[in-house]
Amino acid sequence: MTDRTTYVSLAGVRLRGWTDAMVRDLLGTPDVQGRDPRRWSLAPVRLYLLARVEAVERTPEFAETAARCRARASAAGIHAERRRAAVLAAIRAEPIEVPLLPRPELERRAARHRHLLGARSPGPDPAAAPGGTPGGAAAASASGSAAAPPPAGALVRWQVSYLRHALSRYEALLDGLYGEAGRGEAERLLRRRLYEAIAAAYPSLARECRRRIAVER
């Protein structure tokens, strides 16, 4: 049995500041490798002699490699921060052009959009009020047939959803952001700007836009 005070695992080596590339280049093959019989995982156990790890850490080669890794990580972080700032600035500056439609036409398009979404989704209509018939009012409005009016507030929600979909081209402003924190911030800013533009173009939809800004954070 190996002495855990004598050996350090790959995870332990990483905690000491090593990258996988450094482990590969400076330590090479593990001193002990195999499966841990106490675990069901198929991942191999890789252990390195602690004395060998510490000896390598005292070499100039290790110091130089660690410095290069830190420099690369710092440069990547600076580049990501610059990209994030540039995207946020672009979102703030981009003019948002909302299509201006006569109210009957907007209602017709919104109902059709809601109907198409309902046809693709087997679940209940999320825009339907409790007790309403999912998709029924939307289908009737889209086809122009006579039917009971949509549940209270549903048509407003459909219109905002349709306009938000019509503005989806602005999501291209997010290209190049992959980090969870940076992209999440940019997505929230873009959503807020789109809903504010919709509210400015259609004051009757402003309350629903404000509700979505508050909810979709």
Side-chain angles (χ1 to χ4, degrees), residues 60-126:
E61 185 180 6
F62 176 84
E64 293 170 3
T65 304
R68 285 197 300 270
C69 288
R70 287 192 296 269
R72 283 196 296 267
S74 177
I78 292 172
H79 174 75
E81 175 57 27
R82 287 175 178 170
R83 176 60 183 164
R84 183 190 71 86
V87 169
L88 292 176
I91 292 173
R92 294 188 183 100
E94 184 73 13
I96 306 297
E97 299 179 2
V98 180
L100 298 177
L101 302 169
R103 182 172 178 177
E105 177 64 13
L106 175 59
E107 292 178 353
R108 186 189 70 79
R109 294 191 186 188
R112 177 169 175 76
H113 178 67
R114 177 66 257 171
H115 175 58
L116 293 175
L117 289 179
R120 289 199 296 264
S121 174
D125 185 348

Side-chain angles (χ1 to χ4, degrees), residues 2-9 31 47-53:
T2 58
D3 184 351
R4 292 308 175 107
T5 63
T6 305
Y7 290 86
V8 59
S9 66
D31 298 290
L47 300 178
Y48 301 85
L49 278 168
L50 180 57
R52 187 160 72 92
V53 173

